[in-house]
Amino acid sequence: MQNLCINLPGREYEIKIEKGLLKNSGKLIKELINPCKAAIVTDSNVAPLYSETLISSLRENGFSTALITVAPGEGSKSPETLSVLYDKMLEFGITRGDLIIALGGGIVGDLAGFCASTLLRGIPFVQIPTTLLAQIDSSVGGKVAINLPQGKNLVGAFYQPKLVIIDPLCLDTLSDEIFSDGMAEAIKYGVILDEQLFEKIESYPSRTKMGEIIEDVISRCCELKKIVVEEDELDTGKRMILNFGHTFGHAIEKRYNFKDYSHGQAVACGMVMAAEYGEKTGITPLGTSDRIENLVLSFGLPTKIDIDKESLLDAIKIDKKGEGNLVSLILSEKIGKAALVPTEKGKVWIW
Ligand code: GLY
């Protein structure tokens, strides 16, 4: 088993990575938290696949459980669904001495985590991510949130989990599309922090080939996230580089009402746009956007999506990396090195 520790004073936690770990999750949680009530939040895609294994493991270890299933998709990261969760948790009789477990992808993790951070002013929380995107990014680092009609993740908190349990076998049931969403984030880590990782992914350019090294890729991405989060937990500096491709990506998601393109697809295209922008402004070496484009294409991700100037500027206006008239664009100085470039909001338009 690979073990990483996120060292945040007073909020340390481990990330455990191993194939088949889900069936031992009750034991792993019990090593940390005495048996109590565990409210599991999942969605209706994941519930039939993995909830029984988790519930059995928790019960064998003395936990009592409630399973709360939400609809799959971004629509569940809403104030309405959050309110339903509060109701069900209180009905279950949850207290601050109990536990909330997120079993699913990034949407479930963000929603359950935000619920945990606010209900009764905070309930201990464990992440069991089942998508690649959640395993390498959203389950680590404590960002939890819901969306508002005005934009994504506009209400949220930094609320670190007590434990992250990653079972790469859960990836076997993902569609190619959802697997590729995660690959967009893995490629992002390569672009912003680790040229070797980028090259490694270039050497395994398909889902089938990636299967041979997936545990190492997950572990390396979590290690990179650990380094960034330990340096800047609250996202005021270095952590912003994790948003490479996300400013343009969020604009795409919003323009298409969070329906036509998934987060990973939007980020894949956003990374190519950010690299092209960097090349045109002289920050990014020529040829970088082509290299990123070829790699995201090999995982079936889109690299060109129509977006009008107004949609882009609207998204930039409410970008959380903005202050006053400036937004911090994350660009690539070269593969493996990101740069934060303050840019006037109204001027981010080059096409
Ligand atoms: N997913 C970006 C972050 O955790 O900061």
Side-chain angles (χ1 to χ4, degrees):
M1 176 161 58
Q2 313 215 35
N3 236 333
L4 292 167
C5 183
I6 305 286
N7 293 305
L8 294 168
R11 297 178 306 292
E12 301 81 4
Y13 58 97
E14 290 194 343
I15 306 170
K16 294 181 183 292
I17 308 167
E18 191 177 56
K19 288 187 177 160
L21 216 50
L22 182 66
K23 59 182 185 311
N24 298 328
S25 41
K27 183 169 169 284
L28 294 174
I29 294 171
K30 193 176 161 185
E31 284 168 9
L32 214 69
I33 297 166
N34 287 332
C36 57
K37 289 186 178 179
I40 303 160
V41 181
T42 191
D43 72 27
S44 54
N45 288 335
V46 176
L49 298 169
Y50 302 121
S51 64
E52 228 176 272
T53 309
L54 175 59
I55 289 170
S56 307
S57 177
L58 286 164
R59 291 200 174 152
E60 276 162 22
N61 284 279
F63 292 85
S64 60
T65 58
L67 183 67
I68 304 172
T69 306
V70 301
E74 198 68 39
S76 283
K77 267 177 66 173
S78 65
E80 293 75 23
T81 309
L82 178 67
S83 174
V84 172
L85 286 197
Y86 290 148
D87 284 349
K88 298 208 164 164
M89 303 265 173
L90 293 172
E91 213 173 280
F92 180 46
I94 204 158
T95 69
R96 282 184 188 166
D98 293 312
L99 180 64
I100 292 177
I101 302 175
L103 173 72
I107 291 165
V108 161
D110 280 10
L111 172 70
F114 187 64
C115 177
S117 74
T118 46
L119 186 62
L120 308 179
R121 296 207 175 90
I123 293 176
F125 167 55
V126 168
Q127 288 266 22
I128 308 185
T130 58
T131 64
L132 182 57
L133 189 148
Q135 293 188 347
I136 64 172
D137 187 20
S138 57
S139 66
V140 177
K143 274 193 185 175
V144 293
I146 57 165
N147 302 330
L148 291 180
Q150 291 88 334
K152 275 189 74 159
N153 299 329
L154 292 185
V155 183
F158 292 94
Y159 191 67
Q160 302 295 339
K162 298 286 178 212
L163 178 66
V164 182
I165 298 172
I166 298 181
D167 182 348
L169 287 184
C170 292
L171 305 182
D172 291 350
T173 51
L174 296 181
S175 65
D176 285 342
E177 192 182 307
I178 307 248
F179 182 85
S180 294
D181 269 0
M183 282 313 302
E185 299 285 353
I187 292 166
K188 174 198 78 181
Y189 281 110
V191 176
I192 59 171
L193 285 164
D194 187 347
E195 188 174 12
Q196 274 181 0
L197 173 65
F198 191 91
E199 285 168 352
K200 194 168 185 175
I201 300 172
E202 281 182 321
S203 313
Y204 293 81
S206 70
R207 178 174 183 174
T208 316
K209 294 195 174 103
M210 191 44 55
E212 295 169 32
I213 54 159
I214 196 68
E215 218 165 316
D216 289 344
V217 170
I218 294 169
S219 172
R220 181 60 185 150
C221 292
C222 288
E223 211 167 56
L224 292 167
K225 182 131 191 198
K226 163 188 156 68
I227 294 165
V228 172
V229 168
E230 283 177 356
E231 188 178 322
D232 175 26
E233 181 189 6
L234 300 182
D235 205 15
T236 54
K238 183 164 183 143
R239 186 165 180 171
M240 291 189 206
I241 65 171
L242 296 176
N243 271 325
F244 178 70
H246 284 58
T247 299
F248 298 125
H250 282 166
I252 292 169
E253 284 185 279
K254 184 152 187 271
R255 159 69 186 78
Y256 290 92
N257 302 317
F258 302 102
K259 286 201 178 95
D260 298 353
Y261 296 101
S262 66
H263 179 68
Q265 289 172 335
V267 166
C269 183
M271 289 193 293
V272 175
M273 287 164 82
E276 284 172 351
Y277 185 91
E279 286 174 8
K280 289 193 180 162
T281 50
I283 290 162
T284 305
L286 292 178
T288 308
S289 62
D290 285 347
R291 213 171 147 198
I292 298 173
E293 183 167 2
N294 285 336
L295 194 51
V296 301
L297 276 174
S298 68
F299 289 94
L301 290 157
T303 57
K304 300 262 182 284
I305 296 171
D306 270 349
I307 176 131
D308 55 286
K309 181 174 177 168
E310 283 66 35
S311 302
L312 187 62
L313 293 179
D314 275 357
I316 285 164
K317 248 191 260 163
I318 57 163
D319 191 291
K320 291 189 287 309
K321 295 183 299 308
E323 251 178 55
N325 196 28
L326 294 177
V327 65
S328 285
L329 285 187
I330 323 300
L331 301 179
S332 166
E333 275 181 27
K334 65 181 197 71
I335 297 290
K337 191 164 186 334
L340 271 170
V341 182
T343 307
E344 269 184 55
K345 285 181 182 173
K347 296 212 170 137
V348 187
W349 186 257
I350 53 160
W351 293 274

PDB file of all heavy atoms in Angstrom, residues 111-147:
ATOM      1  N   LEU A 111     -19.813  17.983  -2.488  1.00  0.00           N
ATOM      2  CA  LEU A 111     -21.108  18.177  -1.825  1.00  0.00           C
ATOM      3  C   LEU A 111     -21.081  17.622  -0.402  1.00  0.00           C
ATOM      4  O   LEU A 111     -21.445  18.316   0.563  1.00  0.00           O
ATOM      5  CB  LEU A 111     -22.195  17.467  -2.657  1.00  0.00           C
ATOM      6  CG  LEU A 111     -23.583  17.386  -2.054  1.00  0.00           C
ATOM      7  CD1 LEU A 111     -24.244  18.764  -2.031  1.00  0.00           C
ATOM      8  CD2 LEU A 111     -24.470  16.403  -2.838  1.00  0.00           C
ATOM      9  N   ALA A 112     -20.649  16.377  -0.259  1.00  0.00           N
ATOM     10  CA  ALA A 112     -20.620  15.749   1.075  1.00  0.00           C
ATOM     11  C   ALA A 112     -19.635  16.488   1.979  1.00  0.00           C
ATOM     12  O   ALA A 112     -19.884  16.678   3.175  1.00  0.00           O
ATOM     13  CB  ALA A 112     -20.221  14.281   0.949  1.00  0.00           C
ATOM     14  N   GLY A 113     -18.525  16.933   1.402  1.00  0.00           N
ATOM     15  CA  GLY A 113     -17.524  17.653   2.187  1.00  0.00           C
ATOM     16  C   GLY A 113     -18.058  18.989   2.658  1.00  0.00           C
ATOM     17  O   GLY A 113     -17.815  19.389   3.806  1.00  0.00           O
ATOM     18  N   PHE A 114     -18.782  19.683   1.786  1.00  0.00           N
ATOM     19  CA  PHE A 114     -19.335  20.975   2.221  1.00  0.00           C
ATOM     20  C   PHE A 114     -20.393  20.763   3.294  1.00  0.00           C
ATOM     21  O   PHE A 114     -20.462  21.507   4.277  1.00  0.00           O
ATOM     22  CB  PHE A 114     -19.913  21.763   1.038  1.00  0.00           C
ATOM     23  CG  PHE A 114     -20.329  23.149   1.440  1.00  0.00           C
ATOM     24  CD1 PHE A 114     -19.387  24.067   1.886  1.00  0.00           C
ATOM     25  CD2 PHE A 114     -21.664  23.523   1.440  1.00  0.00           C
ATOM     26  CE1 PHE A 114     -19.767  25.349   2.306  1.00  0.00           C
ATOM     27  CE2 PHE A 114     -22.053  24.791   1.851  1.00  0.00           C
ATOM     28  CZ  PHE A 114     -21.098  25.708   2.283  1.00  0.00           C
ATOM     29  N   CYS A 115     -21.187  19.711   3.125  1.00  0.00           N
ATOM     30  CA  CYS A 115     -22.175  19.354   4.157  1.00  0.00           C
ATOM     31  C   CYS A 115     -21.443  19.094   5.479  1.00  0.00           C
ATOM     32  O   CYS A 115     -21.819  19.627   6.529  1.00  0.00           O
ATOM     33  CB  CYS A 115     -22.952  18.131   3.679  1.00  0.00           C
ATOM     34  SG  CYS A 115     -24.136  17.515   4.860  1.00  0.00           S
ATOM     35  N   ALA A 116     -20.362  18.307   5.425  1.00  0.00           N
ATOM     36  CA  ALA A 116     -19.613  17.969   6.644  1.00  0.00           C
ATOM     37  C   ALA A 116     -19.008  19.221   7.280  1.00  0.00           C
ATOM     38  O   ALA A 116     -18.940  19.342   8.505  1.00  0.00           O
ATOM     39  CB  ALA A 116     -18.508  16.961   6.317  1.00  0.00           C
ATOM     40  N   SER A 117     -18.596  20.167   6.450  1.00  0.00           N
ATOM     41  CA  SER A 117     -17.931  21.353   6.994  1.00  0.00           C
ATOM     42  C   SER A 117     -18.901  22.303   7.684  1.00  0.00           C
ATOM     43  O   SER A 117     -18.498  23.110   8.511  1.00  0.00           O
ATOM     44  CB  SER A 117     -17.182  22.109   5.883  1.00  0.00           C
ATOM     45  OG  SER A 117     -18.101  22.796   5.058  1.00  0.00           O
ATOM     46  N   THR A 118     -20.174  22.207   7.347  1.00  0.00           N
ATOM     47  CA  THR A 118     -21.135  23.188   7.856  1.00  0.00           C
ATOM     48  C   THR A 118     -22.131  22.600   8.853  1.00  0.00           C
ATOM     49  O   THR A 118     -22.542  23.293   9.790  1.00  0.00           O
ATOM     50  CB  THR A 118     -21.929  23.808   6.678  1.00  0.00           C
ATOM     51  OG1 THR A 118     -22.358  22.754   5.798  1.00  0.00           O
ATOM     52  CG2 THR A 118     -21.070  24.781   5.906  1.00  0.00           C
ATOM     53  N   LEU A 119     -22.544  21.358   8.667  1.00  0.00           N
ATOM     54  CA  LEU A 119     -23.572  20.790   9.538  1.00  0.00           C
ATOM     55  C   LEU A 119     -23.042  20.695  10.974  1.00  0.00           C
ATOM     56  O   LEU A 119     -21.948  20.165  11.203  1.00  0.00           O
ATOM     57  CB  LEU A 119     -23.989  19.406   9.015  1.00  0.00           C
ATOM     58  CG  LEU A 119     -25.165  18.740   9.745  1.00  0.00           C
ATOM     59  CD1 LEU A 119     -26.437  19.573   9.626  1.00  0.00           C
ATOM     60  CD2 LEU A 119     -25.422  17.338   9.204  1.00  0.00           C
ATOM     61  N   LEU A 120     -23.769  21.244  11.907  1.00  0.00           N
ATOM     62  CA  LEU A 120     -23.360  21.266  13.324  1.00  0.00           C
ATOM     63  C   LEU A 120     -21.976  21.913  13.493  1.00  0.00           C
ATOM     64  O   LEU A 120     -21.228  21.573  14.392  1.00  0.00           O
ATOM     65  CB  LEU A 120     -23.367  19.854  13.933  1.00  0.00           C
ATOM     66  CG  LEU A 120     -24.652  19.033  13.752  1.00  0.00           C
ATOM     67  CD1 LEU A 120     -24.492  17.658  14.392  1.00  0.00           C
ATOM     68  CD2 LEU A 120     -25.852  19.760  14.337  1.00  0.00           C
ATOM     69  N   ARG A 121     -21.626  22.775  12.585  1.00  0.00           N
ATOM     70  CA  ARG A 121     -20.306  23.468  12.538  1.00  0.00           C
ATOM     71  C   ARG A 121     -19.143  22.499  12.333  1.00  0.00           C
ATOM     72  O   ARG A 121     -18.012  22.802  12.708  1.00  0.00           O
ATOM     73  CB  ARG A 121     -20.072  24.314  13.783  1.00  0.00           C
ATOM     74  CG  ARG A 121     -21.047  25.452  13.931  1.00  0.00           C
ATOM     75  CD  ARG A 121     -20.454  26.601  14.708  1.00  0.00           C
ATOM     76  NE  ARG A 121     -21.366  27.717  14.741  1.00  0.00           N
ATOM     77  CZ  ARG A 121     -22.284  27.910  15.681  1.00  0.00           C
ATOM     78  NH1 ARG A 121     -22.370  27.062  16.686  1.00  0.00           N
ATOM     79  NH2 ARG A 121     -23.070  28.950  15.630  1.00  0.00           N
ATOM     80  N   GLY A 122     -19.405  21.355  11.757  1.00  0.00           N
ATOM     81  CA  GLY A 122     -18.291  20.489  11.376  1.00  0.00           C
ATOM     82  C   GLY A 122     -18.388  19.080  11.916  1.00  0.00           C
ATOM     83  O   GLY A 122     -18.433  18.861  13.114  1.00  0.00           O
ATOM     84  N   ILE A 123     -18.410  18.133  10.987  1.00  0.00           N
ATOM     85  CA  ILE A 123     -18.468  16.702  11.322  1.00  0.00           C
ATOM     86  C   ILE A 123     -17.272  16.039  10.620  1.00  0.00           C
ATOM     87  O   ILE A 123     -16.991  16.360   9.460  1.00  0.00           O
ATOM     88  CB  ILE A 123     -19.809  16.101  10.835  1.00  0.00           C
ATOM     89  CG1 ILE A 123     -20.954  16.713  11.668  1.00  0.00           C
ATOM     90  CG2 ILE A 123     -19.819  14.572  10.935  1.00  0.00           C
ATOM     91  CD1 ILE A 123     -22.330  16.315  11.258  1.00  0.00           C
ATOM     92  N   PRO A 124     -16.541  15.134  11.321  1.00  0.00           N
ATOM     93  CA  PRO A 124     -15.412  14.463  10.673  1.00  0.00           C
ATOM     94  C   PRO A 124     -15.828  13.808   9.341  1.00  0.00           C
ATOM     95  O   PRO A 124     -16.958  13.322   9.199  1.00  0.00           O
ATOM     96  CB  PRO A 124     -14.993  13.405  11.704  1.00  0.00           C
ATOM     97  CG  PRO A 124     -15.461  13.947  13.008  1.00  0.00           C
ATOM     98  CD  PRO A 124     -16.727  14.711  12.721  1.00  0.00           C
ATOM     99  N   PHE A 125     -14.867  13.784   8.425  1.00  0.00           N
ATOM    100  CA  PHE A 125     -15.198  13.498   7.028  1.00  0.00           C
ATOM    101  C   PHE A 125     -14.104  12.616   6.415  1.00  0.00           C
ATOM    102  O   PHE A 125     -12.917  12.854   6.641  1.00  0.00           O
ATOM    103  CB  PHE A 125     -15.299  14.875   6.352  1.00  0.00           C
ATOM    104  CG  PHE A 125     -15.344  14.908   4.868  1.00  0.00           C
ATOM    105  CD1 PHE A 125     -16.292  14.182   4.167  1.00  0.00           C
ATOM    106  CD2 PHE A 125     -14.467  15.724   4.162  1.00  0.00           C
ATOM    107  CE1 PHE A 125     -16.341  14.244   2.788  1.00  0.00           C
ATOM    108  CE2 PHE A 125     -14.509  15.797   2.788  1.00  0.00           C
ATOM    109  CZ  PHE A 125     -15.449  15.057   2.107  1.00  0.00           C
ATOM    110  N   VAL A 126     -14.523  11.581   5.679  1.00  0.00           N
ATOM    111  CA  VAL A 126     -13.561  10.696   4.993  1.00  0.00           C
ATOM    112  C   VAL A 126     -13.908  10.680   3.501  1.00  0.00           C
ATOM    113  O   VAL A 126     -15.085  10.625   3.128  1.00  0.00           O
ATOM    114  CB  VAL A 126     -13.626   9.256   5.578  1.00  0.00           C
ATOM    115  CG1 VAL A 126     -12.873   8.264   4.698  1.00  0.00           C
ATOM    116  CG2 VAL A 126     -13.040   9.231   6.997  1.00  0.00           C
ATOM    117  N   GLN A 127     -12.895  10.743   2.676  1.00  0.00           N
ATOM    118  CA  GLN A 127     -13.099  10.702   1.221  1.00  0.00           C
ATOM    119  C   GLN A 127     -12.744   9.314   0.687  1.00  0.00           C
ATOM    120  O   GLN A 127     -11.636   8.814   0.933  1.00  0.00           O
ATOM    121  CB  GLN A 127     -12.150  11.700   0.536  1.00  0.00           C
ATOM    122  CG  GLN A 127     -12.492  13.156   0.717  1.00  0.00           C
ATOM    123  CD  GLN A 127     -13.349  13.700  -0.440  1.00  0.00           C
ATOM    124  OE1 GLN A 127     -14.022  12.941  -1.153  1.00  0.00           O
ATOM    125  NE2 GLN A 127     -13.336  14.990  -0.606  1.00  0.00           N
ATOM    126  N   ILE A 128     -13.682   8.707  -0.049  1.00  0.00           N
ATOM    127  CA  ILE A 128     -13.362   7.472  -0.792  1.00  0.00           C
ATOM    128  C   ILE A 128     -13.677   7.760  -2.271  1.00  0.00           C
ATOM    129  O   ILE A 128     -14.784   7.512  -2.757  1.00  0.00           O
ATOM    130  CB  ILE A 128     -14.158   6.256  -0.258  1.00  0.00           C
ATOM    131  CG1 ILE A 128     -13.982   6.128   1.268  1.00  0.00           C
ATOM    132  CG2 ILE A 128     -13.703   4.979  -0.979  1.00  0.00           C
ATOM    133  CD1 ILE A 128     -14.618   4.907   1.885  1.00  0.00           C
ATOM    134  N   PRO A 129     -12.714   8.337  -2.979  1.00  0.00           N
ATOM    135  CA  PRO A 129     -12.973   8.744  -4.367  1.00  0.00           C
ATOM    136  C   PRO A 129     -12.997   7.543  -5.316  1.00  0.00           C
ATOM    137  O   PRO A 129     -12.149   6.654  -5.203  1.00  0.00           O
ATOM    138  CB  PRO A 129     -11.790   9.666  -4.678  1.00  0.00           C
ATOM    139  CG  PRO A 129     -10.693   9.218  -3.753  1.00  0.00           C
ATOM    140  CD  PRO A 129     -11.364   8.699  -2.514  1.00  0.00           C
ATOM    141  N   THR A 130     -13.937   7.556  -6.239  1.00  0.00           N
ATOM    142  CA  THR A 130     -14.075   6.406  -7.147  1.00  0.00           C
ATOM    143  C   THR A 130     -13.813   6.770  -8.612  1.00  0.00           C
ATOM    144  O   THR A 130     -13.892   5.899  -9.474  1.00  0.00           O
ATOM    145  CB  THR A 130     -15.481   5.778  -7.031  1.00  0.00           C
ATOM    146  OG1 THR A 130     -16.444   6.795  -7.335  1.00  0.00           O
ATOM    147  CG2 THR A 130     -15.733   5.223  -5.644  1.00  0.00           C
ATOM    148  N   THR A 131     -13.572   8.045  -8.909  1.00  0.00           N
ATOM    149  CA  THR A 131     -13.187   8.400 -10.280  1.00  0.00           C
ATOM    150  C   THR A 131     -11.719   8.806 -10.272  1.00  0.00           C
ATOM    151  O   THR A 131     -11.176   9.182  -9.227  1.00  0.00           O
ATOM    152  CB  THR A 131     -14.003   9.593 -10.834  1.00  0.00           C
ATOM    153  OG1 THR A 131     -13.716  10.748 -10.045  1.00  0.00           O
ATOM    154  CG2 THR A 131     -15.487   9.312 -10.836  1.00  0.00           C
ATOM    155  N   LEU A 132     -11.104   8.777 -11.443  1.00  0.00           N
ATOM    156  CA  LEU A 132      -9.690   9.163 -11.520  1.00  0.00           C
ATOM    157  C   LEU A 132      -9.515  10.623 -11.124  1.00  0.00           C
ATOM    158  O   LEU A 132      -8.595  10.980 -10.390  1.00  0.00           O
ATOM    159  CB  LEU A 132      -9.170   8.911 -12.948  1.00  0.00           C
ATOM    160  CG  LEU A 132      -7.696   9.207 -13.186  1.00  0.00           C
ATOM    161  CD1 LEU A 132      -6.800   8.414 -12.232  1.00  0.00           C
ATOM    162  CD2 LEU A 132      -7.307   8.921 -14.636  1.00  0.00           C
ATOM    163  N   LEU A 133     -10.439  11.459 -11.593  1.00  0.00           N
ATOM    164  CA  LEU A 133     -10.341  12.887 -11.272  1.00  0.00           C
ATOM    165  C   LEU A 133     -10.373  13.114  -9.761  1.00  0.00           C
ATOM    166  O   LEU A 133      -9.571  13.863  -9.196  1.00  0.00           O
ATOM    167  CB  LEU A 133     -11.472  13.652 -11.955  1.00  0.00           C
ATOM    168  CG  LEU A 133     -11.404  15.175 -11.904  1.00  0.00           C
ATOM    169  CD1 LEU A 133     -12.013  15.769 -13.162  1.00  0.00           C
ATOM    170  CD2 LEU A 133     -12.103  15.746 -10.695  1.00  0.00           C
ATOM    171  N   ALA A 134     -11.284  12.425  -9.101  1.00  0.00           N
ATOM    172  CA  ALA A 134     -11.386  12.592  -7.644  1.00  0.00           C
ATOM    173  C   ALA A 134     -10.175  11.980  -6.942  1.00  0.00           C
ATOM    174  O   ALA A 134      -9.691  12.522  -5.946  1.00  0.00           O
ATOM    175  CB  ALA A 134     -12.683  11.966  -7.140  1.00  0.00           C
ATOM    176  N   GLN A 135      -9.661  10.869  -7.470  1.00  0.00           N
ATOM    177  CA  GLN A 135      -8.532  10.206  -6.803  1.00  0.00           C
ATOM    178  C   GLN A 135      -7.260  11.038  -6.890  1.00  0.00           C
ATOM    179  O   GLN A 135      -6.440  11.007  -5.979  1.00  0.00           O
ATOM    180  CB  GLN A 135      -8.300   8.809  -7.415  1.00  0.00           C
ATOM    181  CG  GLN A 135      -9.451   7.856  -7.113  1.00  0.00           C
ATOM    182  CD  GLN A 135      -9.192   6.422  -7.524  1.00  0.00           C
ATOM    183  OE1 GLN A 135      -8.248   6.136  -8.252  1.00  0.00           O
ATOM    184  NE2 GLN A 135     -10.047   5.512  -7.072  1.00  0.00           N
ATOM    185  N   ILE A 136      -7.077  11.773  -7.988  1.00  0.00           N
ATOM    186  CA  ILE A 136      -5.805  12.499  -8.118  1.00  0.00           C
ATOM    187  C   ILE A 136      -5.932  13.972  -7.785  1.00  0.00           C
ATOM    188  O   ILE A 136      -4.930  14.664  -7.716  1.00  0.00           O
ATOM    189  CB  ILE A 136      -5.198  12.352  -9.537  1.00  0.00           C
ATOM    190  CG1 ILE A 136      -6.097  12.990 -10.594  1.00  0.00           C
ATOM    191  CG2 ILE A 136      -4.903  10.899  -9.840  1.00  0.00           C
ATOM    192  CD1 ILE A 136      -5.467  13.042 -11.972  1.00  0.00           C
ATOM    193  N   ASP A 137      -7.156  14.455  -7.598  1.00  0.00           N
ATOM    194  CA  ASP A 137      -7.262  15.901  -7.405  1.00  0.00           C
ATOM    195  C   ASP A 137      -8.266  16.278  -6.325  1.00  0.00           C
ATOM    196  O   ASP A 137      -7.907  16.678  -5.220  1.00  0.00           O
ATOM    197  CB  ASP A 137      -7.607  16.576  -8.741  1.00  0.00           C
ATOM    198  CG  ASP A 137      -7.567  18.088  -8.650  1.00  0.00           C
ATOM    199  OD1 ASP A 137      -6.930  18.606  -7.709  1.00  0.00           O
ATOM    200  OD2 ASP A 137      -8.162  18.767  -9.505  1.00  0.00           O
ATOM    201  N   SER A 138      -9.563  16.104  -6.607  1.00  0.00           N
ATOM    202  CA  SER A 138     -10.536  16.781  -5.750  1.00  0.00           C
ATOM    203  C   SER A 138     -10.664  16.197  -4.347  1.00  0.00           C
ATOM    204  O   SER A 138     -11.117  16.882  -3.434  1.00  0.00           O
ATOM    205  CB  SER A 138     -11.909  16.816  -6.438  1.00  0.00           C
ATOM    206  OG  SER A 138     -12.338  15.521  -6.749  1.00  0.00           O
ATOM    207  N   SER A 139     -10.260  14.934  -4.137  1.00  0.00           N
ATOM    208  CA  SER A 139     -10.426  14.365  -2.785  1.00  0.00           C
ATOM    209  C   SER A 139      -9.297  14.788  -1.855  1.00  0.00           C
ATOM    210  O   SER A 139      -9.369  14.577  -0.651  1.00  0.00           O
ATOM    211  CB  SER A 139     -10.461  12.827  -2.857  1.00  0.00           C
ATOM    212  OG  SER A 139      -9.205  12.333  -3.272  1.00  0.00           O
ATOM    213  N   VAL A 140      -8.263  15.386  -2.419  1.00  0.00           N
ATOM    214  CA  VAL A 140      -7.093  15.765  -1.624  1.00  0.00           C
ATOM    215  C   VAL A 140      -7.022  17.286  -1.530  1.00  0.00           C
ATOM    216  O   VAL A 140      -7.182  17.973  -2.541  1.00  0.00           O
ATOM    217  CB  VAL A 140      -5.794  15.234  -2.301  1.00  0.00           C
ATOM    218  CG1 VAL A 140      -4.561  15.676  -1.539  1.00  0.00           C
ATOM    219  CG2 VAL A 140      -5.844  13.719  -2.417  1.00  0.00           C
ATOM    220  N   GLY A 141      -6.821  17.799  -0.335  1.00  0.00           N
ATOM    221  CA  GLY A 141      -6.583  19.248  -0.224  1.00  0.00           C
ATOM    222  C   GLY A 141      -7.695  20.050   0.398  1.00  0.00           C
ATOM    223  O   GLY A 141      -7.527  21.241   0.641  1.00  0.00           O
ATOM    224  N   GLY A 142      -8.855  19.425   0.638  1.00  0.00           N
ATOM    225  CA  GLY A 142      -9.871  20.054   1.476  1.00  0.00           C
ATOM    226  C   GLY A 142     -10.770  21.074   0.824  1.00  0.00           C
ATOM    227  O   GLY A 142     -11.540  21.732   1.503  1.00  0.00           O
ATOM    228  N   LYS A 143     -10.707  21.233  -0.509  1.00  0.00           N
ATOM    229  CA  LYS A 143     -11.657  22.173  -1.126  1.00  0.00           C
ATOM    230  C   LYS A 143     -13.005  21.488  -1.245  1.00  0.00           C
ATOM    231  O   LYS A 143     -13.104  20.413  -1.858  1.00  0.00           O
ATOM    232  CB  LYS A 143     -11.180  22.579  -2.512  1.00  0.00           C
ATOM    233  CG  LYS A 143     -10.215  23.732  -2.503  1.00  0.00           C
ATOM    234  CD  LYS A 143     -10.049  24.255  -3.916  1.00  0.00           C
ATOM    235  CE  LYS A 143      -8.990  25.329  -3.982  1.00  0.00           C
ATOM    236  NZ  LYS A 143      -8.731  25.757  -5.362  1.00  0.00           N
ATOM    237  N   VAL A 144     -14.027  22.092  -0.652  1.00  0.00           N
ATOM    238  CA  VAL A 144     -15.381  21.534  -0.748  1.00  0.00           C
ATOM    239  C   VAL A 144     -16.315  22.685  -1.116  1.00  0.00           C
ATOM    240  O   VAL A 144     -16.069  23.822  -0.725  1.00  0.00           O
ATOM    241  CB  VAL A 144     -15.811  20.877   0.590  1.00  0.00           C
ATOM    242  CG1 VAL A 144     -14.986  19.639   0.875  1.00  0.00           C
ATOM    243  CG2 VAL A 144     -15.714  21.842   1.765  1.00  0.00           C
ATOM    244  N   ALA A 145     -17.351  22.407  -1.869  1.00  0.00           N
ATOM    245  CA  ALA A 145     -18.182  23.521  -2.348  1.00  0.00           C
ATOM    246  C   ALA A 145     -19.459  23.034  -3.010  1.00  0.00           C
ATOM    247  O   ALA A 145     -19.584  21.859  -3.378  1.00  0.00           O
ATOM    248  CB  ALA A 145     -17.389  24.350  -3.357  1.00  0.00           C
ATOM    249  N   ILE A 146     -20.376  23.983  -3.143  1.00  0.00           N
ATOM    250  CA  ILE A 146     -21.526  23.770  -4.030  1.00  0.00           C
ATOM    251  C   ILE A 146     -21.560  24.923  -5.048  1.00  0.00           C
ATOM    252  O   ILE A 146     -20.851  25.919  -4.883  1.00  0.00           O
ATOM    253  CB  ILE A 146     -22.868  23.691  -3.254  1.00  0.00           C
ATOM    254  CG1 ILE A 146     -23.102  24.955  -2.429  1.00  0.00           C
ATOM    255  CG2 ILE A 146     -22.936  22.451  -2.385  1.00  0.00           C
ATOM    256  CD1 ILE A 146     -24.528  25.104  -1.928  1.00  0.00           C
ATOM    257  N   ASN A 147     -22.391  24.757  -6.052  1.00  0.00           N
ATOM    258  CA  ASN A 147     -22.505  25.786  -7.093  1.00  0.00           C
ATOM    259  C   ASN A 147     -23.679  26.714  -6.818  1.00  0.00           C
ATOM    260  O   ASN A 147     -24.622  26.353  -6.096  1.00  0.00           O
ATOM    261  CB  ASN A 147     -22.745  25.125  -8.459  1.00  0.00           C
ATOM    262  CG  ASN A 147     -21.644  24.155  -8.835  1.00  0.00           C
ATOM    263  OD1 ASN A 147     -20.496  24.329  -8.438  1.00  0.00           O
ATOM    264  ND2 ASN A 147     -22.001  23.127  -9.588  1.00  0.00           N
TER     265      ASN A 147
END
